[in-house]
Structures are given as C-alpha cells and as structure tokens.
Amino acid sequence: MFTVQRHEPELIIPDKPTPREVKTLSDIDSQKSLRMHVSGIFFYHTDPKMGNQNPAIVIKEALAKVLVFYYPFAGRLKEDEMGKLMVDCTSEGVLFIEAEADVTLKQLGDVIHPPFTYTEKFLYDVPGSSGVFDSPLLLIQVTRLLCGGFIVVVRHNHTMSDAVGLIQFMIALGEMIKGASKPTMLPVWQRGVLSARDPPRVTCTHHEYDDQPATVDEIMGKILLSSDMIQQSFFFGPQEISAIRRFVPTHFQNRSTFEVLTACLWRCRTIALQPNPEQEMRMTCPVNARKFKSFIPPGYYGNAIASLVAISSARDLCNKPLGYALELIINAKSNVTEEYIRSSADLIVIKGRPSFSFFEGSYFISDVTRLGFDELDLGWGKPVYGGPINVCTQFSSVYTRSNNQKGESGIAVTLSFRSVEMDRFVKELNSMLV
C-alpha cells in the first residue's frame, strides 16, 4: 500500500473583491436530502506540453480567479427560521490541499473505475470542514503521483450545486488554467426560479416524498444484519446493451440506453434480493430540469433536479418480461414536466423540507455519463477516469463513463449485495448477456 504526504490545508479566497451579501438558495436546494457533502474524483496522466508545472500550484492559482465569478462558494451556509438556506458571501474561502503520493497511475490499476478502496488517501476530511453550516462549501485536494500524473478530488456542499453545476464550475476552472479572463459560461444564481410559488400548491403526485412506514435507521438495521456485503463493478458497452435490447419489445426499441439498462438492473436486482412477492419495489432517479429551458436559464448552477419514481410489486417485476419494467420507467419519466418540478418545490415547503422517501424496496440510480466528468480538461487533457466517488450503497448505483480492458467505451455500474445475492444477480444478468 502507498502513502500520501499532505501539506497543511489552505483557505483560498477570490483574488479580487467580491460582493458582501446574503444570497438565498432555492427550495429545491434547501430540502434535507441535499444537506451533505458529495465528492468527485479525476485521474490525470502527465502531459509534456505542461512541462514541469506543478498541477497543485496551477490549480490553486486558477481557483482564486474562478472564485471571483463563483464567489458564493467562498461563503458559508446559513438557515433562516423557516428552514430555508442562504449563503453569507463572506469570502472566507474554500479549502485546498496539496499532497504527494508514492505511487504511479499504473499501479492503481490497468483500468481505473469504481469502486475505489483508497479514496480517503486522496480526500482528507479536514476537521470541522464537513458540516453543513458555517463550514467551507468546497474542498479540493490535488495529489501528485510518482509518474508525473495527478489526482484531483473535489468535495462540495450539495445544497450549492448538483452534478451539472459542479462540472460547470470545474470547466470554468479549466478555462482559467488555460488563460481565460472569464468563464465561457458565466454563472447564474437566480435561485428563485426553483423556489415555491406563493401560495404553494401541490398539483402532481410525488412518490419521492411519500410518508415512510419506518425510519431509515430501522430499515437499514433490518437489512444490515449480514456482514458479508460485497461490491462489484459491471461494464456495459455496445455489445452488452445490444444483448439486453433483445429482451425489449419492438415498440420500445428506440428507447434510451439509460431506460433499457435501468429496467434490466432493477429487475435483476429484485430477483437477486428475493423479497416478499408482495413487497413494493421502487426505482428512483433524478431528472435534470435544465431540459425545460423556458425557466431554467443557461449558466444556472444550483440544484435543478426532480425525481422520477417507478413502483411495482416484487412479484410482477420478477415474473413479467423486461418490457414491463421498461414501461414503468418510461411512464414515470413522462410525469416529470415543468409543472411537476414547480409542484415539487411547493411540496418541499408544505412538508417542511423533507428528505427523499426511503423504503426497504428502494433503489436509487443516478446517471452522470453525459454530464462531462470524463471530459474535464484542467490543462493536462482529459482524465483517465472522472466521476463521483460515492457510486454505490446497498440501495443506490451511479452510472459513470468508463473503458474496459479492451479500451472500449461504455458504462460502469457498481452494485452492492450479500455474497449469495451477488451470485444470483450475476447469474440473472449473465442469462441476458449470453
């Protein structure tokens, strides 16, 4: 195992004066489910055109410049008496850590993809930095490797940005590294577009906020009785997706890869778990509201997300063909309209900013394959791998862009099961891929 030597954490402030003000977040931003820190990781090769420049110093200098435009990130989060969030733009700064590791990129694996067992080495949780309130909203650690390559980990407070917003910020950072005086896409605040109406009115059904029969801790305690949980990554390239499409009805052959793959995994996962046939199984995934360009302006970097929820009994999901699960997902997706998103913001306020519903049969899927994680150029070219760190729990998976050992591009998905459930999942999946 390798070691990492870290320099003292620094607070990086905007390199020019920025407005001293309080900016209100949206009601979508303010929901309890987003009050946490999430992280992304990027692996880079050395690049001769960058010479012997220290990537940590280059990134740190550019960070101060980009914060002039994204100055709310340098502030601190507050909460009003109604539970709505706001940023006190104090220019206190974001955390930055420079580090060196005695390992090469090659030694980390022939193919770099989740799950990662060593991320805590590349992301130091500075004491007092991971709180939701009065803590830095952004932390970046740049770790140089023996081969000249480096790893960048970015941790941010989810209430400030979704994945699209974070990548927008990181692209702007890359542009500053390359000498730009301002970002191509200027940041837009305007959080009022995703705040509740006055008066708030719920006009749609929102299963993502259904009342829960038990607490999350009770559900987790019931399921975590076994200690033999294992994680495994699965690769889905063109060949695998084509194999799965053989099970898709003719009238659904034009559906997206995301829809087809999600239907497959939801069904295979349910078969592997062998739940009570009457148990309700839920598949939930976020939808990017930016597709509704009529009210989400370009450059908006807040949380512009709503959730679709597909629901089935375990019996139907296991016994009916793949087209059944696929149709449920298609129908749930069609429910997410502009009015659905506005209704979500209203419900969040009416219900006191709830967390997402969590049931024993819940499965949360997030697709970041088209958001640009794998394209992020910080001056040294595209990353070997770029994507979220937190890609899997027992109840969730993230689709990331990855290559297999043949160099083929595809989607990597990590799942977590008890060993006997993993065996059943692999068997069921392989029966579709043969």
Side-chain angles (χ1 to χ4, degrees), residues 27 30-33 35 82-84 196 200-213 282 342-359:
D27 288 310
S30 297
Q31 60 189 302
K32 287 187 174 66
S33 295
R35 298 185 182 197
M82 300 299 293
K84 192 161 186 175
R201 52 191 184 275
V202 179
T203 55
C204 302
T205 300
H206 297 280
H207 289 299
E208 65 271 33
Y209 301 112
D210 282 346
D211 292 333
Q212 299 174 185
R282 292 177 167 230
R342 295 188 187 279
S343 176
S344 295
D346 292 350
L347 183 143
I348 286 169
V349 170
I350 290 171
K351 293 193 73 169
R353 312 189 193 283
S355 296
F356 294 134
S357 298
F358 186 85
F359 295 84

Side-chain angles (χ1 to χ4, degrees), residues 32 35 46 66 107 111 144 252 290 342 357 419 426:
K32 287 187 174 66
R35 298 185 182 197
T46 185
V66 79
Q107 288 172 320
V111 178
R144 291 179 288 152
F252 284 151
R290 290 172 181 82
R342 295 188 187 279
S357 298
S419 58
V426 170

Side-chain angles (χ1 to χ4, degrees), residues 412-423:
V413 185
T414 305
L415 291 101
S416 178
F417 290 109
R418 298 183 180 96
S419 58
V420 65
E421 294 164 347
M422 183 65 80
D423 290 342

Side-chain angles (χ1 to χ4, degrees), residues 110-111 403-408:
D110 293 332
V111 178
N403 294 328
N404 64 8
Q405 292 187 335
K406 298 177 183 178
E408 298 169 332

Side-chain angles (χ1 to χ4, degrees), residues 270 275-281 312-320 324:
T270 304
N276 183 307
E278 302 305 319
Q279 182 170 313
E280 183 180 270
M281 308 303 292
S312 171
S313 70
R315 173 185 285 109
D316 286 346
L317 203 54
C318 293
N319 295 334
K320 291 186 177 181
Y324 166 77

Side-chain angles (χ1 to χ4, degrees), residues 292-313:
F292 303 109
K293 298 177 182 177
S294 58
F295 78 111
I296 307 292
Y300 186 88
Y301 66 102
N303 289 280
I305 50 177
S307 294
L308 67 81
V309 183
I311 302 174
S312 171
S313 70

Side-chain angles (χ1 to χ4, degrees), residues 128-144:
S129 71
S130 55
V132 174
F133 301 105
D134 299 314
S135 294
L137 298 172
L138 186 70
L139 183 155
I140 296 179
Q141 179 173 325
V142 180
T143 306
R144 291 179 288 152

